[in-house]
Amino acid sequence: MKTSISLKQENLSRLLPNVKTPSYDRDKVKTSIVHIGVGNFHRSHEAFYTNELMEQSGVLDCGICGVGLLDHDRKIYNILKDQDGLYTLVTKELDGSLNARVIGSIVEYIFAPENPIAVIEKMADPDIKIISLTITEGGYNLNEGTGEFDFSNPVIVEDMKNPMSPKTVFGYLAQAMKLRMNCNSGGCTIQSCDNIQGNGDVAKKSFLNYVQKAEPELLPWIEENVSFPNAMVDRITPVTVAEDIEKLQEKFLIDDQWPVVCEPFIQWVIEDDFKAGRPEWEKVGVQFVENVVPFENMKLRLLNAGHSVLGMLGALHGYRTIDQAARDSDFKVFLRAFMDEEVTPTLGDLGDINLKKYKNSLIDRFRNIYIKDLIARICLESSAKFPIFLLPTIKAQLKNGGNFARAAFVVAAWCKYNDGIDENGNTYAIEDAMSNELIRAAALSHQNPIRFLEIEPVFGDLVNNKAFVDAFLSSLEKLRNKNVKDCVREINAGFNEH
Ligand code: CS2
């Protein structure tokens, strides 16, 4: 048996010919992007596009310096250090074939808890033109109900007290912007890569709120010198499991401690508003547009909410992966009707986009049996996801007098999900920053169902909307008396697939 080769710069030339490796000289790469949150998604998306750009254009001034702010980032820090910043990206095609390529665009990494000053100085370096973020939907520290920045968050309180040893992204950005201003490093772009409606606007709002209290004298400089483009980001990137690591060893003879696997599909649509220039990502398929809103709405309300639909229904039924739920004919009909009848009317004018084709492609992507996207991944942090993915559809449909029965049913399914037990009696953990509140509200809802909608940071004032409350209550009652499949079949009855 052939032995596998450790992924390292010096070993790249020994890898099998079917593995694509960076052909550009990584020693010549100049860093101009700092990225906070080097998770799987960053590695399958921005780092991938940037690798492709350097590969195709030979222009090497857009290297990435990764930054980890959280203790759990120590793992990726150690691995990337060990592997010279290299990792393998494996795309799983619809026919089950695998493509492996080694990504070389991350050329530096700083682990912030070990060296906060180095992070601040790096972000303030005049060569850095973009600070990009994947800090998750919940990472922007806004209360969904009130829309206000949460200054009571203990880590924010700490950052305000100890500005030079920050813990949060806001504390770091504030100090970095201060240094940029004082050293005349020039403006830059803060680019959110999270799945949020108006992610640039949200990043701006959160950051300026923080700065207004923490470093108010900085505000005019930031207003003038920093841009926050909105963007839609897309690539389904599941959690890496042990089997992925083993497959890579067997099939490609690569020993990679943390490869990334993902679907072949990729999309990035960005508002072209970069204060200090940007890589020519359009050369590798990134779309630059004036208005990203239609793309965002379409993706968040169809793909991400579609995931939540399959995730919640699938979890109650006892499925483990999204493809299982998407291949269930009852859930499939439910999902399609949700997309067509409830989401589509809220999307407005989408210009040239062929929506029917987009929806069909989503169903195919969800059904990819090789991706094995865990339902547990989809359901985690739902308290941050529902307000972005699903509730806007309900609110828009309430406003327009449209149908939202299926969306309300999914909210009720989420309530039941928080009981932590599926219909086969298997228990699971509720992984959510608000898990205590969710579990408690779900428990109370057995006596008093409306208690779940009283979680104000999630639902805001939806609890006062009679039509929505009625739809939620009747759905929850059904779900507590019948299994989810029977409920779904009942809802599906009468709907003809287009
Ligand atoms: C998923 C997303 O987290 C979720 O619930 O819907 O991570 C999704 O896979 C990506 O946004 C795809 O681009």
Side-chain angles (χ1 to χ4, degrees):
M1 203 179 111
K2 287 194 198 146
T3 47
S4 49
I5 299 166
S6 300
L7 186 55
K8 277 188 184 307
Q9 183 68 36
E10 66 189 29
N11 291 343
L12 284 183
S13 57
R14 295 172 52 212
L15 296 182
L16 294 179
N18 62 350
V19 178
K20 251 181 131 181
T21 54
S23 62
Y24 52 91
D25 183 350
R26 290 184 76 230
D27 288 338
K28 296 218 171 84
V29 172
K30 216 173 108 189
T31 313
S32 61
I33 301 172
V34 166
H35 184 80
I36 300 183
V38 181
N40 278 5
F41 180 71
H42 170 68
R43 296 198 289 152
S44 75
H45 198 258
E46 182 181 5
F48 162 79
Y49 274 122
T50 307
N51 180 71
E52 293 307 284
L53 180 60
M54 292 201 273
E55 190 65 41
Q56 284 181 30
S57 68
V59 178
L60 302 183
D61 62 356
C62 53
I64 298 172
C65 170
V67 167
L69 299 185
L70 307 171
D71 281 335
H72 75 235
D73 291 322
R74 193 182 289 278
K75 181 176 168 197
I76 188 74
Y77 164 56
N78 285 331
I79 291 176
L80 288 180
K81 195 157 62 174
D82 231 37
Q83 299 186 170
D84 302 319
L86 298 167
Y87 63 94
T88 325
L89 182 67
V90 179
T91 47
K92 296 181 165 180
E93 306 296 325
L94 283 165
D95 64 2
S97 56
L98 302 179
N99 281 311
R101 73 180 80 207
V102 174
I103 304 292
S105 50
I106 302 180
V107 287
E108 291 172 55
Y109 189 98
I110 314 176
F111 181 54
E114 234 166 47
N115 202 345
I117 300 296
V119 173
I120 296 169
E121 286 179 358
K122 184 72 191 181
M123 287 174 165
D125 188 308
D127 285 344
I128 297 301
K129 310 292 184 201
I130 296 174
I131 300 170
S132 54
L133 320 172
T134 38
I135 56 173
T136 80
E137 294 87 1
Y140 292 83
N141 198 45
L142 293 173
N143 176 313
E144 279 305 326
T146 61
E148 295 305 318
F149 191 79
D150 182 7
F151 280 101
S152 66
N153 183 341
V155 273
I156 297 289
V157 175
E158 248 187 75
D159 274 12
M160 305 265 293
K161 272 201 226 134
N162 309 305
M164 289 318 283
S165 52
K167 298 247 173 328
T168 73
V169 61
F170 308 104
Y172 274 104
L173 285 173
Q175 291 317 309
M177 293 307 118
K178 193 166 171 181
L179 200 55
R180 284 190 92 97
M181 178 177 85
N182 292 339
C183 298
N184 284 324
S185 301
C188 67
T189 300
I190 295 178
Q191 183 177 21
S192 167
C193 301
D194 283 296
N195 278 310
I196 296 184
Q197 177 80 59
N199 58 7
D201 297 339
V202 170
K204 180 173 184 181
K205 178 174 176 189
S206 291
F207 181 47
L208 293 191
N209 264 261
Y210 178 80
V211 170
Q212 192 147 33
K213 223 166 173 177
E215 306 277 355
E217 72 290 351
L218 265 179
L219 275 181
W221 187 88
I222 294 175
E223 292 279 6
E224 182 118 329
N225 294 286
V226 183
S227 59
F228 298 80
N230 291 306
M232 179 266 245
V233 294
D234 193 7
R235 185 168 229 184
I236 295 176
T237 310
V239 179
T240 309
V241 294
E243 201 190 321
D244 297 317
I245 298 179
E246 285 154 22
K247 271 247 168 73
L248 194 61
Q249 284 168 337
E250 273 163 34
K251 273 190 90 92
F252 296 97
L253 301 182
I254 303 178
D255 231 331
D256 183 336
Q257 300 166 64
W258 198 346
V260 182
V261 296
C262 65
E263 63 170 347
F265 183 92
I266 186 164
Q267 196 174 16
W268 198 6
V269 187
I270 317 177
E271 251 169 25
D272 204 354
D273 179 18
F274 286 75
K275 259 296 185 282
R278 59 164 175 81
E280 290 180 295
W281 281 314
E282 65 274 24
K283 290 193 167 153
V284 286
V286 177
Q287 294 158 263
F288 286 93
V289 298
E290 259 181 34
N291 178 15
V292 78
V293 173
F295 294 93
E296 287 174 338
N297 279 342
M298 179 180 83
K299 195 260 168 170
L300 296 168
R301 295 184 189 184
L302 289 168
L303 186 151
N304 294 112
H307 256 163
S308 299
V309 169
L310 294 174
M312 288 301 157
L313 306 186
L316 295 184
H317 181 69
Y319 288 137
R320 241 187 102 251
T321 56
I322 286 294
D323 57 290
Q324 289 175 324
R327 283 169 183 274
D328 179 306
S329 54
D330 298 317
F331 291 169
K332 184 183 151 212
V333 172
F334 181 96
L335 175 66
R336 188 70 207 210
F338 163 78
M339 287 179 169
D340 290 345
E341 292 190 3
E342 303 189 11
V343 181
T344 301
T346 74
L347 296 179
D349 182 9
L350 291 176
D352 317 331
I353 298 172
N354 181 336
L355 196 55
K356 194 162 180 196
K357 212 163 139 198
Y358 183 76
K359 288 187 278 193
N360 288 340
S361 81
L362 286 186
I363 306 266
D364 290 342
R365 290 167 67 193
F366 292 155
R367 286 161 66 86
N368 184 336
I369 52 167
Y370 302 101
I371 295 292
K372 297 271 168 280
D373 201 3
L374 293 178
I375 281 181
R377 179 186 85 86
I378 299 303
C379 292
L380 60 79
E381 301 304 339
S382 284
S383 68
K385 291 175 178 177
F386 268 56
I388 299 166
F389 301 168
L390 192 70
L391 302 187
T393 293
I394 295 175
K395 288 180 190 160
Q397 288 292 78
L398 279 168
K399 203 162 150 204
N400 302 333
N403 186 358
F404 55 88
R406 293 173 186 84
F409 180 80
V410 177
V411 175
W414 178 34
C415 174
K416 187 161 185 225
Y417 173 83
N418 290 302
D419 288 343
I421 183 160
D422 70 20
E423 289 172 355
N424 306 320
N426 295 318
T427 55
Y428 48 79
I430 308 300
E431 290 182 60
D432 199 298
M434 291 183 67
S435 59
N436 289 342
E437 221 165 329
L438 293 169
I439 293 167
R440 189 180 141 76
L444 291 170
S445 78
H446 283 263
Q447 265 87 49
N448 186 4
I450 204 163
R451 289 304 288 262
F452 190 67
L453 300 183
E454 286 172 357
I455 309 178
E456 193 259 1
V458 172
F459 294 106
D461 61 3
L462 262 181
V463 67
N464 300 325
N465 188 296
K466 185 166 178 327
F468 172 66
V469 171
D470 287 348
F472 168 82
L473 294 180
S474 74
S475 301
L476 188 58
E477 197 190 326
K478 279 188 200 134
L479 275 165
R480 289 243 157 89
N481 290 310
K482 284 185 213 161
N483 68 43
V484 62
K485 286 267 279 181
D486 286 341
C487 298
V488 163
R489 280 199 197 110
E490 209 177 289
I491 298 170
N492 288 346
F495 175 74
N496 296 317
E497 220 178 321
H498 297 313

mmCIF file of all heavy atoms in Angstrom, residues 41 137 195 233-237 263 299 303-305 307-308 365 373 377-380 385 389, ligand 1:
data_model
loop_
_atom_site.group_PDB
_atom_site.id
_atom_site.type_symbol
_atom_site.label_atom_id
_atom_site.label_comp_id
_atom_site.label_asym_id
_atom_site.label_seq_id
_atom_site.Cartn_x
_atom_site.Cartn_y
_atom_site.Cartn_z
ATOM 1 N N PHE A 41 -16.249 27.505 5.785
ATOM 2 C CA PHE A 41 -16.866 28.301 4.720
ATOM 3 C C PHE A 41 -15.869 29.282 4.100
ATOM 4 O O PHE A 41 -15.785 29.400 2.876
ATOM 5 C CB PHE A 41 -18.120 29.046 5.207
ATOM 6 C CG PHE A 41 -18.731 29.839 4.093
ATOM 7 C CD1 PHE A 41 -19.382 29.184 3.053
ATOM 8 C CD2 PHE A 41 -18.588 31.206 4.017
ATOM 9 C CE1 PHE A 41 -19.892 29.893 1.962
ATOM 10 C CE2 PHE A 41 -19.097 31.925 2.942
ATOM 11 C CZ PHE A 41 -19.757 31.260 1.918
ATOM 12 N N GLU A 137 -23.976 34.384 11.725
ATOM 13 C CA GLU A 137 -25.168 35.238 11.722
ATOM 14 C C GLU A 137 -25.351 35.934 13.071
ATOM 15 O O GLU A 137 -25.821 37.065 13.147
ATOM 16 C CB GLU A 137 -26.436 34.417 11.423
ATOM 17 C CG GLU A 137 -26.509 33.824 10.031
ATOM 18 C CD GLU A 137 -25.823 32.469 9.921
ATOM 19 O OE1 GLU A 137 -25.296 31.971 10.934
ATOM 20 O OE2 GLU A 137 -25.800 31.902 8.812
ATOM 21 N N ASN A 195 -24.067 35.180 6.123
ATOM 22 C CA ASN A 195 -25.396 35.030 5.525
ATOM 23 C C ASN A 195 -26.415 35.925 6.202
ATOM 24 O O ASN A 195 -27.219 35.462 7.003
ATOM 25 C CB ASN A 195 -25.885 33.598 5.756
ATOM 26 C CG ASN A 195 -25.319 32.659 4.759
ATOM 27 O OD1 ASN A 195 -25.375 32.912 3.567
ATOM 28 N ND2 ASN A 195 -24.772 31.570 5.261
ATOM 29 N N VAL A 233 -23.260 35.458 -0.370
ATOM 30 C CA VAL A 233 -22.230 34.405 -0.437
ATOM 31 C C VAL A 233 -22.922 33.052 -0.503
ATOM 32 O O VAL A 233 -23.967 32.864 0.113
ATOM 33 C CB VAL A 233 -21.321 34.432 0.818
ATOM 34 C CG1 VAL A 233 -20.505 35.694 0.878
ATOM 35 C CG2 VAL A 233 -22.110 34.255 2.111
ATOM 36 N N ASP A 234 -22.360 32.135 -1.264
ATOM 37 C CA ASP A 234 -23.031 30.834 -1.360
ATOM 38 C C ASP A 234 -22.086 29.700 -1.722
ATOM 39 O O ASP A 234 -21.413 29.755 -2.751
ATOM 40 C CB ASP A 234 -24.155 30.917 -2.410
ATOM 41 C CG ASP A 234 -25.102 29.718 -2.342
ATOM 42 O OD1 ASP A 234 -24.961 28.905 -1.412
ATOM 43 O OD2 ASP A 234 -25.984 29.617 -3.218
ATOM 44 N N ARG A 235 -22.047 28.716 -0.903
ATOM 45 C CA ARG A 235 -21.461 27.408 -1.209
ATOM 46 C C ARG A 235 -21.769 26.489 -0.017
ATOM 47 O O ARG A 235 -21.370 26.797 1.116
ATOM 48 C CB ARG A 235 -19.949 27.491 -1.416
ATOM 49 C CG ARG A 235 -19.369 26.153 -1.860
ATOM 50 C CD ARG A 235 -17.941 26.274 -2.353
ATOM 51 N NE ARG A 235 -17.805 25.602 -3.633
ATOM 52 C CZ ARG A 235 -16.676 25.448 -4.296
ATOM 53 N NH1 ARG A 235 -15.560 25.939 -3.813
ATOM 54 N NH2 ARG A 235 -16.645 24.813 -5.446
ATOM 55 N N ILE A 236 -22.461 25.408 -0.265
ATOM 56 C CA ILE A 236 -22.785 24.503 0.837
ATOM 57 C C ILE A 236 -21.506 23.780 1.252
ATOM 58 O O ILE A 236 -20.860 23.110 0.445
ATOM 59 C CB ILE A 236 -23.895 23.515 0.431
ATOM 60 C CG1 ILE A 236 -25.201 24.281 0.166
ATOM 61 C CG2 ILE A 236 -24.088 22.459 1.524
ATOM 62 C CD1 ILE A 236 -26.358 23.437 -0.346
ATOM 63 N N THR A 237 -21.164 23.973 2.505
ATOM 64 C CA THR A 237 -19.891 23.464 3.021
ATOM 65 C C THR A 237 -20.146 22.732 4.337
ATOM 66 O O THR A 237 -20.275 23.362 5.384
ATOM 67 C CB THR A 237 -18.907 24.640 3.251
ATOM 68 O OG1 THR A 237 -18.872 25.443 2.072
ATOM 69 C CG2 THR A 237 -17.506 24.141 3.577
ATOM 70 N N GLU A 263 -19.758 21.392 -1.976
ATOM 71 C CA GLU A 263 -20.436 21.127 -3.248
ATOM 72 C C GLU A 263 -19.680 21.838 -4.368
ATOM 73 O O GLU A 263 -18.905 22.761 -4.117
ATOM 74 C CB GLU A 263 -21.881 21.635 -3.169
ATOM 75 C CG GLU A 263 -21.963 23.152 -2.958
ATOM 76 C CD GLU A 263 -23.358 23.715 -3.123
ATOM 77 O OE1 GLU A 263 -24.241 23.016 -3.640
ATOM 78 O OE2 GLU A 263 -23.568 24.877 -2.728
ATOM 79 N N LYS A 299 -31.395 34.198 -2.075
ATOM 80 C CA LYS A 299 -30.569 33.139 -1.470
ATOM 81 C C LYS A 299 -30.968 32.859 -0.023
ATOM 82 O O LYS A 299 -31.145 31.713 0.381
ATOM 83 C CB LYS A 299 -29.101 33.555 -1.575
ATOM 84 C CG LYS A 299 -28.129 32.428 -1.332
ATOM 85 C CD LYS A 299 -27.570 32.448 0.050
ATOM 86 C CE LYS A 299 -26.823 31.201 0.420
ATOM 87 N NZ LYS A 299 -26.089 31.316 1.659
ATOM 88 N N LEU A 303 -32.631 29.387 -0.283
ATOM 89 C CA LEU A 303 -31.654 28.347 0.089
ATOM 90 C C LEU A 303 -31.569 28.186 1.606
ATOM 91 O O LEU A 303 -31.804 27.112 2.149
ATOM 92 C CB LEU A 303 -30.266 28.657 -0.474
ATOM 93 C CG LEU A 303 -29.249 27.524 -0.224
ATOM 94 C CD1 LEU A 303 -28.185 27.490 -1.306
ATOM 95 C CD2 LEU A 303 -28.564 27.546 1.125
ATOM 96 N N ASN A 304 -31.240 29.282 2.304
ATOM 97 C CA ASN A 304 -31.014 29.120 3.743
ATOM 98 C C ASN A 304 -32.307 28.728 4.465
ATOM 99 O O ASN A 304 -32.296 27.812 5.307
ATOM 100 C CB ASN A 304 -30.409 30.389 4.342
ATOM 101 C CG ASN A 304 -29.006 30.652 3.814
ATOM 102 O OD1 ASN A 304 -28.779 31.604 3.092
ATOM 103 N ND2 ASN A 304 -28.068 29.808 4.138
ATOM 104 N N ALA A 305 -33.417 29.394 4.124
ATOM 105 C CA ALA A 305 -34.673 28.998 4.767
ATOM 106 C C ALA A 305 -35.054 27.586 4.343
ATOM 107 O O ALA A 305 -35.568 26.800 5.147
ATOM 108 C CB ALA A 305 -35.786 29.986 4.424
ATOM 109 N N HIS A 307 -33.059 25.198 3.751
ATOM 110 C CA HIS A 307 -32.278 24.342 4.642
ATOM 111 C C HIS A 307 -32.970 24.188 6.002
ATOM 112 O O HIS A 307 -33.069 23.090 6.541
ATOM 113 C CB HIS A 307 -30.899 24.976 4.875
ATOM 114 C CG HIS A 307 -29.803 24.319 4.113
ATOM 115 N ND1 HIS A 307 -28.590 24.926 3.907
ATOM 116 C CD2 HIS A 307 -29.705 23.092 3.529
ATOM 117 C CE1 HIS A 307 -27.805 24.111 3.214
ATOM 118 N NE2 HIS A 307 -28.463 23.000 2.973
ATOM 119 N N SER A 308 -33.423 25.328 6.545
ATOM 120 C CA SER A 308 -34.070 25.266 7.868
ATOM 121 C C SER A 308 -35.347 24.435 7.807
ATOM 122 O O SER A 308 -35.662 23.691 8.744
ATOM 123 C CB SER A 308 -34.385 26.661 8.407
ATOM 124 O OG SER A 308 -33.193 27.401 8.566
ATOM 125 N N ARG A 365 -29.285 20.560 -5.377
ATOM 126 C CA ARG A 365 -28.149 20.722 -4.457
ATOM 127 C C ARG A 365 -28.467 20.077 -3.102
ATOM 128 O O ARG A 365 -27.626 19.416 -2.510
ATOM 129 C CB ARG A 365 -27.818 22.210 -4.288
ATOM 130 C CG ARG A 365 -27.219 22.812 -5.549
ATOM 131 C CD ARG A 365 -27.181 24.336 -5.481
ATOM 132 N NE ARG A 365 -26.262 24.829 -4.476
ATOM 133 C CZ ARG A 365 -26.232 26.097 -4.045
ATOM 134 N NH1 ARG A 365 -27.075 27.002 -4.536
ATOM 135 N NH2 ARG A 365 -25.369 26.468 -3.132
ATOM 136 N N ASP A 373 -24.588 16.714 4.336
ATOM 137 C CA ASP A 373 -24.649 17.897 5.202
ATOM 138 C C ASP A 373 -25.501 17.538 6.419
ATOM 139 O O ASP A 373 -26.673 17.168 6.280
ATOM 140 C CB ASP A 373 -25.285 19.037 4.398
ATOM 141 C CG ASP A 373 -24.973 20.400 4.951
ATOM 142 O OD1 ASP A 373 -24.203 20.489 5.932
ATOM 143 O OD2 ASP A 373 -25.513 21.385 4.410
ATOM 144 N N ARG A 377 -25.940 20.502 11.772
ATOM 145 C CA ARG A 377 -25.277 21.762 11.391
ATOM 146 C C ARG A 377 -26.309 22.819 11.000
ATOM 147 O O ARG A 377 -26.209 23.987 11.347
ATOM 148 C CB ARG A 377 -24.317 21.527 10.207
ATOM 149 C CG ARG A 377 -23.616 22.804 9.740
ATOM 150 C CD ARG A 377 -22.772 22.605 8.490
ATOM 151 N NE ARG A 377 -23.500 22.722 7.249
ATOM 152 C CZ ARG A 377 -23.741 23.868 6.598
ATOM 153 N NH1 ARG A 377 -23.317 25.013 7.089
ATOM 154 N NH2 ARG A 377 -24.408 23.866 5.463
ATOM 155 N N ILE A 378 -27.325 22.368 10.267
ATOM 156 C CA ILE A 378 -28.338 23.317 9.803
ATOM 157 C C ILE A 378 -29.142 23.871 10.980
ATOM 158 O O ILE A 378 -29.479 25.044 11.021
ATOM 159 C CB ILE A 378 -29.279 22.621 8.792
ATOM 160 C CG1 ILE A 378 -28.482 22.143 7.572
ATOM 161 C CG2 ILE A 378 -30.445 23.524 8.400
ATOM 162 C CD1 ILE A 378 -27.709 23.218 6.845
ATOM 163 N N CYS A 379 -29.435 22.995 11.958
ATOM 164 C CA CYS A 379 -30.310 23.432 13.059
ATOM 165 C C CYS A 379 -29.571 24.222 14.131
ATOM 166 O O CYS A 379 -30.212 24.876 14.957
ATOM 167 C CB CYS A 379 -30.999 22.218 13.685
ATOM 168 S SG CYS A 379 -32.179 21.456 12.550
ATOM 169 N N LEU A 380 -28.235 24.164 14.122
ATOM 170 C CA LEU A 380 -27.566 24.896 15.204
ATOM 171 C C LEU A 380 -27.693 26.401 14.981
ATOM 172 O O LEU A 380 -27.795 26.870 13.847
ATOM 173 C CB LEU A 380 -26.107 24.450 15.379
ATOM 174 C CG LEU A 380 -25.064 24.552 14.282
ATOM 175 C CD1 LEU A 380 -24.493 25.935 14.115
ATOM 176 C CD2 LEU A 380 -23.925 23.596 14.598
ATOM 177 N N LYS A 385 -30.561 32.333 13.023
ATOM 178 C CA LYS A 385 -30.886 32.100 11.611
ATOM 179 C C LYS A 385 -32.345 32.419 11.270
ATOM 180 O O LYS A 385 -32.630 33.026 10.237
ATOM 181 C CB LYS A 385 -30.607 30.636 11.251
ATOM 182 C CG LYS A 385 -29.119 30.284 11.257
ATOM 183 C CD LYS A 385 -28.901 28.794 11.013
ATOM 184 C CE LYS A 385 -27.424 28.442 10.975
ATOM 185 N NZ LYS A 385 -27.199 26.987 10.814
ATOM 186 N N PHE A 389 -33.522 34.162 7.955
ATOM 187 C CA PHE A 389 -33.888 33.269 6.847
ATOM 188 C C PHE A 389 -35.410 33.162 6.647
ATOM 189 O O PHE A 389 -35.880 33.115 5.520
ATOM 190 C CB PHE A 389 -33.345 31.845 7.089
ATOM 191 C CG PHE A 389 -31.842 31.732 7.246
ATOM 192 C CD1 PHE A 389 -31.265 30.543 7.718
ATOM 193 C CD2 PHE A 389 -30.990 32.783 6.926
ATOM 194 C CE1 PHE A 389 -29.892 30.424 7.858
ATOM 195 C CE2 PHE A 389 -29.606 32.661 7.071
ATOM 196 C CZ PHE A 389 -29.064 31.473 7.543
HETATM 197 C C1 CS2 B 1 -26.942 26.854 6.002
HETATM 198 C C2 CS2 B 1 -25.785 27.606 5.351
HETATM 199 O O1 CS2 B 1 -26.080 27.366 8.126
HETATM 200 C C3 CS2 B 1 -27.084 27.084 7.485
HETATM 201 O O2 CS2 B 1 -28.180 26.944 7.995
HETATM 202 O O3 CS2 B 1 -28.129 27.164 5.350
HETATM 203 O O4 CS2 B 1 -24.589 27.367 6.003
HETATM 204 C C4 CS2 B 1 -25.665 27.251 3.866
HETATM 205 O O5 CS2 B 1 -25.184 25.949 3.702
HETATM 206 C C5 CS2 B 1 -24.772 28.227 3.150
HETATM 207 O O6 CS2 B 1 -25.257 29.511 3.336
HETATM 208 C C6 CS2 B 1 -24.701 27.891 1.669
HETATM 209 O O7 CS2 B 1 -24.163 28.953 0.988
#
